[in-house]
Amino acid sequence: MEYEGVASSSRGKQRRNPCLLVGIITFLAFAIILAVVLVCTLKKEHGLRETVLSRCQGYMDANPSASSGNDCERIWSMFEQAYVGKDPCDVPPEAYDPLIKSVQQKVPCNENIFWSKTNDMVHALTKNRDCLMTLEDTLLGFMFNKLTWCSKNGSKETFTTGCPGWMECINPVHSFWTRASANFAATACGNVYVMLNGSINSPFNPESTFASVEVQNFNPATLDGLTVLLVTKDTDVMTCSNKSLMDLQMLLSSGPLQAVTYTCRVIPQAKVKKCIDDLEIPCSDCW
């Protein structure tokens, strides 16, 4: 009887062992999956943070006189505070006010250039010339250009995928560029430029960032003049008498910006490209 009892107990242990093994395997599989998810999440956060901080330091090293006094870690901290832990569809432009205030850089008067539908052309120009600066050429714009980010309610994480699209709700990326664009315009002084596309029907689009944000934030106390650089191809027939450009001129002359001098120049695309390639040509002769 004792032998049978022992044998029975042994069989019971054998029956329980497979269950224990399955439990251990399940636990290990769950732990591995959790670890992979955490690593992937941290890698994304680490990647964005490292990209931003690397850009910040690189910009400051290349432009010490224009960006001295800035603290990259503090800028990153102010940036995170704007959107981390918030609904990705409820981050208004003013959430970035502390970030804007944390960046110290003043674009010299007469060197601001705005743009609409001329992204590649204007940045090819400013990349080779140091006489003009777009928002993307400033420390703030350079740090976050072409990046995507968002968070979630109650989360401490930053996500770089699965975020709302550019025009989808009040999202972190769109709000950032709206606020940064408003600041870039509000601090502009002297005579500034805007490069517009002479190959489309309405070079001055009232729904563009330039029209809806930047023009609206121009400071009449510091701005003297606005020159439209209407870039055209050989086959274009666009002129400065285009209705949309007349609307821009009217917008300036009928409000608080009426003292701002409006000028429009048609510039062949070939001439702009020549100025990009030939650094011997003075900036003043590019248009």
Side-chain angles (χ1 to χ4, degrees), residues 78-93:
M78 295 296 102
F79 169 68
E80 280 190 309
Q81 289 180 26
Y83 69 91
V84 169
K86 299 180 181 179
D87 185 330
C89 275
D90 189 21
V91 180

Side-chain angles (χ1 to χ4, degrees), residues 102-173:
S102 72
V103 179
Q104 301 178 39
Q105 183 176 16
K106 181 70 172 69
V107 178
C109 290
N110 309 314
E111 293 189 10
N112 294 73
I113 183 167
F114 302 84
W115 59 275
S116 182
K117 301 296 183 182
T118 55
N119 190 340
D120 292 341
M121 180 68 71
V122 73
H123 289 115
L125 179 66
T126 58
K127 180 180 180 180
N128 282 15
R129 298 286 182 150
D130 58 5
C131 54
L132 294 171
M133 294 180 68
T134 66
L135 169 58
E136 294 79 7
D137 297 315
T138 66
L139 174 60
L140 183 66
F142 181 79
M143 287 173 65
F144 301 102
N145 193 25
K146 297 181 179 180
L147 298 180
T148 298
W149 63 87
C150 65
S151 188
K152 294 180 180 179
N153 268 329
S155 174
K156 295 181 179 180
E157 299 177 7
T158 289
F159 304 101
T160 56
T161 59
C163 298
W166 177 253
M167 296 301 293
E168 183 182 352
C169 68
I170 308 174
N171 67 79
V173 177

Side-chain angles (χ1 to χ4, degrees), residues 189-203:
C189 58
N191 294 292
V192 300
Y193 301 86
V194 58
M195 184 177 287
L196 300 179
N197 191 336
S199 298
I200 58 179
N201 292 332
S202 298

Side-chain angles (χ1 to χ4, degrees), residues 1 3 35 41 54 57 63 104 131 144 146 169 200 202 236 245 255:
M1 291 294 293
Y3 177 80
T41 300
S54 175
Q57 192 58 56
N63 305 275
Q104 301 178 39
C131 54
F144 301 102
K146 297 181 179 180
C169 68
I200 58 179
S202 298
D236 293 334
L245 297 177

Side-chain angles (χ1 to χ4, degrees), residues 165-217:
W166 177 253
M167 296 301 293
E168 183 182 352
C169 68
I170 308 174
N171 67 79
V173 177
H174 192 239
S175 290
F176 166 80
W177 288 108
T178 296
R179 184 64 187 87
S181 296
N183 181 70
F184 186 66
T187 55
C189 58
N191 294 292
V192 300
Y193 301 86
V194 58
M195 184 177 287
L196 300 179
N197 191 336
S199 298
I200 58 179
N201 292 332
S202 298
F204 178 67
N205 183 345
E207 296 183 0
S208 67
T209 299
F210 174 66
S212 64
V213 177
E214 292 167 333
V215 172
Q216 304 301 325
N217 281 278

Side-chain angles (χ1 to χ4, degrees), residues 190-192 223-228 252 257-264:
N191 294 292
V192 300
L223 202 64
D224 297 325
L226 172 66
T227 297
V228 172
L252 294 176
L257 296 171
Q258 56 186 315
V260 175
T261 302
Y262 172 84
T263 306
C264 179

